Structure formats: structure tokens, C-alpha cells
Amino acid sequence: GDPGTTPNNPVIGNMELKIVFYDLIYGLLRIVGNPGWDENQYVMKCIMMTCSMAGDDPQRFANAIWKKLCMALDRASKKSRKNPQYNHYLFESIAILIRSVCTKNVAHATSCENIFGPRLKEVLENDYEGQFIPYVYQLLALILEFSPEGGRMSDTCTAAFPQLLKLNRWEFSRNIPSLTRLLIAYLRKGIIQTLNHQSKSLD
């Protein structure tokens, strides 16, 4: 085959993508916000791949990208009929953006949690079919992993911990990898000490 099209030697490389990243990502985000193109999985996959290949560029435009992805998440979580592929690319795009921003500065983990925490909590409460649960726990684990050591655990993360102890969460094999990752992140960040401190505060 043509060596220019192999995965190791793409036609459009990172340097070329950086030149057009702003125009490309904003064009894609405008499509995401267009009701006529609602939940187009190919557009969302393109957003995911663009953010993945762009290195540090996504964090420069994080606020604008977050806003559109949050709107997409709000719409997707309220739909009775789910689009699994679209949702997969949506959550992966959010994960890539969180990783890009927090790798540059771990202090942004708090901002990520403030933006996505309430939405993820709402998704967990309303996802009766359980399709979003693995993705939500994966994102919570990612945010926790970037949180500063020894810092105060937020109310959102603390409130989500009891959900991990419910047996029905562990009944489906698709949930286990993200649940395990999140449980490890909680233990490393001192969830036991946090809960003990809260318990003493209530005494």
C-alpha cells in the first residue's frame, strides 16, 4: 500500500494539524451544536482524533471545547435511544481533553471536576440502562488521578464513593475495569481518611 497512508506515517501529521487546529476544531464543534446533525458519530470521532493528535493545542482552547462537549453530553444523557458509537467518541473526547489540560497543569483537575462533576453525577442518577456508567467512572478516576496529593477531596468525589460499594454496579463485566480504576484512585487519594474526618465532624 501507499506508505503515506499507514498509521505510522499519516498523510496529515501533527505539525500540519497544528496549523489548522483552530479552524478545524471550531468547524467541527459548530456541527455538534447543529440540531440537524445531532449525534453524528463521524463528526465526534473526528473531534476525538483531532484532539488526540494535536498535542498541547486542545488545552489552549479548552473552555470553548468543554462548553460544546458538555452540551453534547447533556443532550445524549437525556435521550431515550442511545447512539453507542457517538457516546463512546464523546466520552473519549472528554477524557483526551482532561488529560491534555491536566498534564500541562495538575491544578486544572479542580476546574475539570467543577465543569464535569455535577453532570457526571446527574448522568449516574439518570442512566437507568447503565450504558454510561463505565465512561462516567473512567472520567472520575482520571480526574482523581490528576488531583494533587494531600489535597482536600471534593464533595462531588466524596459523594460518588458509596456508589462503588453497591453490588449491582459490579454485576456487569463492562463496569469492572473502570470501577477498579476508580477504587484504586480513591484509595490513593485517601478516601478512608476523608470519610473518617467527615464522620468525626458529624459527632
Short mmCIF file of all heavy atoms in Angstrom, two decimals, residues 72-109:
data_model
loop_
_atom_site.label_atom_id
_atom_site.label_comp_id
_atom_site.label_asym_id
_atom_site.label_seq_id
_atom_site.Cartn_x
_atom_site.Cartn_y
_atom_site.Cartn_z
N ALA A 72 -23.23 18.54 24.43
CA ALA A 72 -23.45 17.25 23.77
C ALA A 72 -23.74 16.17 24.79
O ALA A 72 -24.61 15.30 24.58
CB ALA A 72 -22.23 16.88 22.93
N LEU A 73 -23.02 16.19 25.92
CA LEU A 73 -23.23 15.20 26.97
C LEU A 73 -24.62 15.36 27.59
O LEU A 73 -25.31 14.37 27.85
CB LEU A 73 -22.16 15.34 28.05
CG LEU A 73 -22.27 14.41 29.26
CD1 LEU A 73 -22.24 12.95 28.83
CD2 LEU A 73 -21.13 14.71 30.25
N ASP A 74 -25.03 16.60 27.82
CA ASP A 74 -26.37 16.85 28.39
C ASP A 74 -27.46 16.29 27.47
O ASP A 74 -28.41 15.66 27.94
CB ASP A 74 -26.58 18.35 28.59
CG ASP A 74 -25.73 18.91 29.73
OD1 ASP A 74 -25.27 18.11 30.56
OD2 ASP A 74 -25.53 20.14 29.77
N ARG A 75 -27.31 16.52 26.18
CA ARG A 75 -28.32 16.03 25.23
C ARG A 75 -28.31 14.51 25.16
O ARG A 75 -29.36 13.87 25.18
CB ARG A 75 -28.08 16.61 23.83
CG ARG A 75 -28.38 18.10 23.71
CD ARG A 75 -28.54 18.51 22.25
NE ARG A 75 -27.38 18.13 21.46
CZ ARG A 75 -26.34 18.92 21.24
NH1 ARG A 75 -26.30 20.13 21.77
NH2 ARG A 75 -25.32 18.52 20.50
N ALA A 76 -27.12 13.93 25.07
CA ALA A 76 -27.02 12.48 24.92
C ALA A 76 -27.57 11.74 26.14
O ALA A 76 -28.20 10.69 26.01
CB ALA A 76 -25.56 12.08 24.68
N SER A 77 -27.34 12.29 27.32
CA SER A 77 -27.77 11.60 28.54
C SER A 77 -29.28 11.62 28.71
O SER A 77 -29.84 10.79 29.44
CB SER A 77 -27.12 12.26 29.76
OG SER A 77 -27.57 13.60 29.91
N LYS A 78 -29.95 12.55 28.02
CA LYS A 78 -31.41 12.66 28.16
C LYS A 78 -32.17 11.92 27.06
O LYS A 78 -33.41 11.87 27.08
CB LYS A 78 -31.82 14.14 28.16
CG LYS A 78 -31.36 14.89 29.41
CD LYS A 78 -31.72 16.37 29.34
CE LYS A 78 -31.43 17.09 30.65
NZ LYS A 78 -30.00 17.05 31.00
N LYS A 79 -31.45 11.37 26.10
CA LYS A 79 -32.12 10.66 25.00
C LYS A 79 -32.53 9.26 25.43
O LYS A 79 -31.77 8.54 26.09
CB LYS A 79 -31.20 10.57 23.78
CG LYS A 79 -31.11 11.87 22.99
CD LYS A 79 -30.32 11.66 21.72
CE LYS A 79 -30.36 12.92 20.86
NZ LYS A 79 -31.70 13.14 20.30
N SER A 80 -33.73 8.86 25.05
CA SER A 80 -34.21 7.52 25.38
C SER A 80 -33.53 6.47 24.51
O SER A 80 -33.30 5.34 24.95
CB SER A 80 -35.73 7.44 25.20
OG SER A 80 -36.11 7.81 23.88
N ARG A 81 -33.21 6.85 23.27
CA ARG A 81 -32.50 5.93 22.37
C ARG A 81 -31.05 6.39 22.27
O ARG A 81 -30.76 7.49 21.83
CB ARG A 81 -33.15 5.91 20.98
CG ARG A 81 -34.57 5.38 20.98
CD ARG A 81 -35.11 5.28 19.57
NE ARG A 81 -34.36 4.33 18.77
CZ ARG A 81 -34.59 4.08 17.48
NH1 ARG A 81 -35.53 4.74 16.85
NH2 ARG A 81 -33.86 3.21 16.83
N LYS A 82 -30.14 5.52 22.68
CA LYS A 82 -28.72 5.87 22.73
C LYS A 82 -28.03 5.53 21.42
O LYS A 82 -28.42 4.59 20.71
CB LYS A 82 -28.03 5.14 23.88
CG LYS A 82 -28.72 5.24 25.24
CD LYS A 82 -28.72 6.64 25.79
CE LYS A 82 -29.29 6.67 27.20
NZ LYS A 82 -29.45 8.04 27.72
N ASN A 83 -26.99 6.28 21.12
CA ASN A 83 -26.13 6.01 19.97
C ASN A 83 -24.78 5.59 20.53
O ASN A 83 -23.94 6.45 20.84
CB ASN A 83 -26.01 7.27 19.10
CG ASN A 83 -25.17 7.03 17.85
OD1 ASN A 83 -24.32 6.15 17.81
ND2 ASN A 83 -25.42 7.85 16.82
N PRO A 84 -24.53 4.29 20.71
CA PRO A 84 -23.33 3.82 21.41
C PRO A 84 -22.02 4.33 20.84
O PRO A 84 -21.13 4.71 21.59
CB PRO A 84 -23.43 2.28 21.30
CG PRO A 84 -24.88 2.01 21.09
CD PRO A 84 -25.39 3.18 20.29
N GLN A 85 -21.89 4.35 19.52
CA GLN A 85 -20.63 4.79 18.92
C GLN A 85 -20.40 6.28 19.16
O GLN A 85 -19.30 6.71 19.50
CB GLN A 85 -20.63 4.47 17.43
CG GLN A 85 -20.46 2.98 17.14
CD GLN A 85 -20.38 2.71 15.65
OE1 GLN A 85 -21.25 3.06 14.88
NE2 GLN A 85 -19.30 2.07 15.23
N TYR A 86 -21.45 7.07 18.97
CA TYR A 86 -21.35 8.50 19.22
C TYR A 86 -20.97 8.76 20.67
O TYR A 86 -20.07 9.57 20.96
CB TYR A 86 -22.68 9.18 18.91
CG TYR A 86 -22.75 10.64 19.28
CD1 TYR A 86 -22.31 11.63 18.39
CD2 TYR A 86 -23.25 11.04 20.52
CE1 TYR A 86 -22.37 12.98 18.73
CE2 TYR A 86 -23.31 12.39 20.86
CZ TYR A 86 -22.88 13.34 19.96
OH TYR A 86 -22.94 14.67 20.31
N ASN A 87 -21.62 8.08 21.60
CA ASN A 87 -21.35 8.27 23.02
C ASN A 87 -19.93 7.86 23.38
O ASN A 87 -19.27 8.50 24.20
CB ASN A 87 -22.36 7.48 23.86
CG ASN A 87 -23.77 8.02 23.72
OD1 ASN A 87 -23.97 9.20 23.44
ND2 ASN A 87 -24.75 7.15 23.87
N HIS A 88 -19.44 6.79 22.76
CA HIS A 88 -18.06 6.36 23.00
C HIS A 88 -17.08 7.45 22.60
O HIS A 88 -16.18 7.81 23.37
CB HIS A 88 -17.77 5.08 22.22
CG HIS A 88 -16.34 4.66 22.26
ND1 HIS A 88 -15.77 4.04 23.36
CD2 HIS A 88 -15.33 4.80 21.35
CE1 HIS A 88 -14.49 3.81 23.12
NE2 HIS A 88 -14.20 4.26 21.91
N TYR A 89 -17.25 7.99 21.40
CA TYR A 89 -16.35 9.04 20.93
C TYR A 89 -16.49 10.32 21.76
O TYR A 89 -15.50 11.04 21.98
CB TYR A 89 -16.62 9.35 19.46
CG TYR A 89 -16.37 8.18 18.53
CD1 TYR A 89 -17.25 7.88 17.48
CD2 TYR A 89 -15.24 7.37 18.68
CE1 TYR A 89 -17.02 6.82 16.63
CE2 TYR A 89 -15.01 6.30 17.84
CZ TYR A 89 -15.90 6.03 16.81
OH TYR A 89 -15.68 4.97 15.96
N LEU A 90 -17.70 10.60 22.23
CA LEU A 90 -17.92 11.77 23.07
C LEU A 90 -17.15 11.66 24.38
O LEU A 90 -16.41 12.59 24.76
CB LEU A 90 -19.42 11.92 23.35
CG LEU A 90 -19.83 12.95 24.42
CD1 LEU A 90 -19.35 14.35 24.04
CD2 LEU A 90 -21.35 12.93 24.61
N PHE A 91 -17.29 10.54 25.07
CA PHE A 91 -16.59 10.37 26.34
C PHE A 91 -15.09 10.29 26.15
O PHE A 91 -14.32 10.79 26.99
CB PHE A 91 -17.10 9.12 27.07
CG PHE A 91 -18.37 9.35 27.84
CD1 PHE A 91 -19.59 9.00 27.31
CD2 PHE A 91 -18.34 9.93 29.10
CE1 PHE A 91 -20.77 9.21 28.02
CE2 PHE A 91 -19.50 10.15 29.82
CZ PHE A 91 -20.73 9.79 29.27
N GLU A 92 -14.64 9.68 25.06
CA GLU A 92 -13.21 9.63 24.78
C GLU A 92 -12.66 11.03 24.50
O GLU A 92 -11.54 11.37 24.91
CB GLU A 92 -12.93 8.70 23.60
CG GLU A 92 -13.07 7.22 23.92
CD GLU A 92 -12.10 6.76 24.99
OE1 GLU A 92 -10.92 7.19 24.98
OE2 GLU A 92 -12.53 5.98 25.87
N SER A 93 -13.44 11.86 23.82
CA SER A 93 -13.01 13.24 23.56
C SER A 93 -12.86 14.02 24.86
O SER A 93 -11.90 14.77 25.04
CB SER A 93 -14.04 13.95 22.66
OG SER A 93 -14.12 13.33 21.39
N ILE A 94 -13.81 13.82 25.78
CA ILE A 94 -13.72 14.48 27.09
C ILE A 94 -12.49 14.00 27.84
O ILE A 94 -11.76 14.80 28.44
CB ILE A 94 -15.01 14.22 27.90
CG1 ILE A 94 -16.22 14.88 27.22
CG2 ILE A 94 -14.85 14.75 29.33
CD1 ILE A 94 -17.55 14.52 27.86
N ALA A 95 -12.23 12.69 27.80
CA ALA A 95 -11.07 12.14 28.50
C ALA A 95 -9.76 12.69 27.93
O ALA A 95 -8.84 13.04 28.68
CB ALA A 95 -11.08 10.61 28.41
N ILE A 96 -9.68 12.79 26.62
CA ILE A 96 -8.47 13.32 25.98
C ILE A 96 -8.26 14.77 26.37
O ILE A 96 -7.13 15.20 26.65
CB ILE A 96 -8.58 13.19 24.45
CG1 ILE A 96 -8.48 11.71 24.04
CG2 ILE A 96 -7.50 14.01 23.75
CD1 ILE A 96 -8.86 11.45 22.59
N LEU A 97 -9.34 15.54 26.43
CA LEU A 97 -9.23 16.96 26.79
C LEU A 97 -8.79 17.11 28.25
O LEU A 97 -7.92 17.94 28.56
CB LEU A 97 -10.57 17.65 26.57
CG LEU A 97 -10.59 19.17 26.74
CD1 LEU A 97 -9.60 19.83 25.77
CD2 LEU A 97 -11.99 19.72 26.52
N ILE A 98 -9.37 16.31 29.14
CA ILE A 98 -8.97 16.36 30.55
C ILE A 98 -7.49 16.02 30.69
O ILE A 98 -6.74 16.69 31.40
CB ILE A 98 -9.82 15.39 31.39
CG1 ILE A 98 -11.27 15.89 31.48
CG2 ILE A 98 -9.24 15.23 32.81
CD1 ILE A 98 -12.22 14.92 32.16
N ARG A 99 -7.07 14.98 29.99
CA ARG A 99 -5.66 14.56 30.08
C ARG A 99 -4.73 15.64 29.52
O ARG A 99 -3.67 15.92 30.09
CB ARG A 99 -5.47 13.24 29.31
CG ARG A 99 -4.12 12.59 29.53
CD ARG A 99 -4.04 11.24 28.84
NE ARG A 99 -4.96 10.27 29.42
CZ ARG A 99 -6.06 9.83 28.81
NH1 ARG A 99 -6.39 10.27 27.61
NH2 ARG A 99 -6.84 8.94 29.40
N SER A 100 -5.12 16.26 28.42
CA SER A 100 -4.30 17.31 27.82
C SER A 100 -4.14 18.49 28.76
O SER A 100 -3.04 19.01 28.96
CB SER A 100 -4.94 17.76 26.50
OG SER A 100 -4.27 18.88 25.97
N VAL A 101 -5.25 18.92 29.34
CA VAL A 101 -5.24 20.10 30.22
C VAL A 101 -4.49 19.81 31.52
O VAL A 101 -3.67 20.61 31.97
CB VAL A 101 -6.68 20.55 30.51
CG1 VAL A 101 -6.71 21.60 31.60
CG2 VAL A 101 -7.32 21.11 29.24
N CYS A 102 -4.77 18.67 32.13
CA CYS A 102 -4.19 18.37 33.44
C CYS A 102 -2.73 17.96 33.35
O CYS A 102 -1.98 18.16 34.31
CB CYS A 102 -5.00 17.29 34.14
SG CYS A 102 -6.67 17.81 34.60
N THR A 103 -2.31 17.39 32.23
CA THR A 103 -0.90 17.06 32.06
C THR A 103 -0.07 18.34 32.04
O THR A 103 1.05 18.38 32.54
CB THR A 103 -0.69 16.26 30.76
OG1 THR A 103 -1.41 15.03 30.85
CG2 THR A 103 0.79 15.95 30.54
N LYS A 104 -0.64 19.38 31.45
CA LYS A 104 0.04 20.67 31.38
C LYS A 104 0.12 21.32 32.76
O LYS A 104 1.13 21.92 33.13
CB LYS A 104 -0.72 21.59 30.42
CG LYS A 104 0.04 22.83 30.00
CD LYS A 104 1.10 22.50 28.96
CE LYS A 104 1.73 23.75 28.39
NZ LYS A 104 2.78 23.44 27.40
N ASN A 105 -0.95 21.16 33.55
CA ASN A 105 -1.01 21.76 34.88
C ASN A 105 -2.02 20.98 35.72
O ASN A 105 -3.23 21.08 35.48
CB ASN A 105 -1.41 23.23 34.79
CG ASN A 105 -1.36 23.94 36.13
OD1 ASN A 105 -1.24 23.31 37.18
ND2 ASN A 105 -1.46 25.26 36.10
N VAL A 106 -1.55 20.21 36.71
CA VAL A 106 -2.44 19.36 37.50
C VAL A 106 -3.45 20.18 38.29
O VAL A 106 -4.49 19.66 38.73
CB VAL A 106 -1.65 18.46 38.46
CG1 VAL A 106 -0.82 17.45 37.69
CG2 VAL A 106 -0.77 19.28 39.40
N ALA A 107 -3.18 21.47 38.48
CA ALA A 107 -4.13 22.32 39.21
C ALA A 107 -5.46 22.42 38.47
O ALA A 107 -6.48 22.75 39.07
CB ALA A 107 -3.53 23.70 39.42
N HIS A 108 -5.43 22.13 37.15
CA HIS A 108 -6.67 22.21 36.38
C HIS A 108 -7.63 21.06 36.68
O HIS A 108 -8.77 21.07 36.19
CB HIS A 108 -6.35 22.23 34.88
CG HIS A 108 -5.71 23.49 34.41
ND1 HIS A 108 -6.18 24.74 34.75
CD2 HIS A 108 -4.63 23.71 33.62
CE1 HIS A 108 -5.43 25.67 34.21
NE2 HIS A 108 -4.47 25.08 33.51
N ALA A 109 -7.17 20.06 37.44
CA ALA A 109 -8.06 18.95 37.79
C ALA A 109 -9.29 19.45 38.52
O ALA A 109 -10.40 18.94 38.33
CB ALA A 109 -7.31 17.92 38.65
#
